[in-house]
Amino acid sequence: MNGMTIGIIGLALTAILCGIGSGFGLKFTGAASAGVLSEDPKKFSKVIVLSLLPATQGLYGFVIAIMGMSYLPTAQMTAEAALAQGWGVFGAVMPMAIVGCLSAILQGKTSASTIMAVGKKPEIAGKSILFPAMIEFYALLGLVVSIMLLGAL
């Protein structure tokens, strides 16, 4: 396997894993939102932001995959340098791939619980966003670490 292939696999895994995590997270929030809205459609504005939160990790993974393309090995590199560069790209994007996937799933579960709570007490919507937002913080850390590691290549 050459450096270009290794780098591309890392970028693809980042987009795929973050997308999968977001998909699962959105499954949880969509189900909870559907339940709340079936009882009271007027609560849509209270649950929509909570419902969409797990989608951000999919976007972060996409951004890192696009950014990482500019760090892939070039044809002018020796085979040894290209291999090192490919592994560098692979390693640099893994924080976002792993943290993005797991945090999206966990954020979806937390957001779903929050959505159900807002369904019972709509007045807590503003305060309750803090709980899934705490998980978002770790997704942002994964994003920042991957950006910094790419910048170090």
Side-chain angles (χ1 to χ4, degrees), residues 30-149:
S33 294
V36 168
L37 295 177
S38 71
E39 295 289 323
D40 185 0
K42 294 177 188 167
K43 292 179 181 165
F44 179 79
S45 63
K46 303 270 188 201
V47 300
I48 187 64
V49 173
L50 291 165
S51 297
L52 294 174
L53 277 174
T56 58
Q57 285 86 333
L59 293 173
Y60 300 159
F62 177 75
V63 166
I64 289 298
I66 297 298
M67 285 181 63
M69 289 173 61
S70 64
Y71 294 93
L72 289 170
T74 63
Q76 294 81 18
M77 293 181 167
T78 65
E80 187 176 290
L83 188 61
Q85 184 74 9
W87 279 114
V89 169
F90 185 92
V93 300
M94 283 302 105
M96 187 69 253
I98 296 166
V99 174
C101 181
L102 295 175
S103 67
I105 294 167
L106 297 172
Q107 188 176 53
K109 290 182 177 187
T110 303
S111 292
S113 297
T114 304
I115 289 165
M116 290 185 277
V118 168
K120 292 181 181 184
K121 291 188 157 230
E123 65 273 12
I124 67 165
K127 294 175 185 175
S128 65
I129 198 167
L130 177 64
F131 303 114
M134 289 187 290
I135 298 169
E136 185 76 20
F137 174 73
Y138 290 96
L140 287 168
L141 288 179
L143 175 69
V144 170
V145 168
S146 283
I147 290 171
M148 289 172 50
L149 290 172

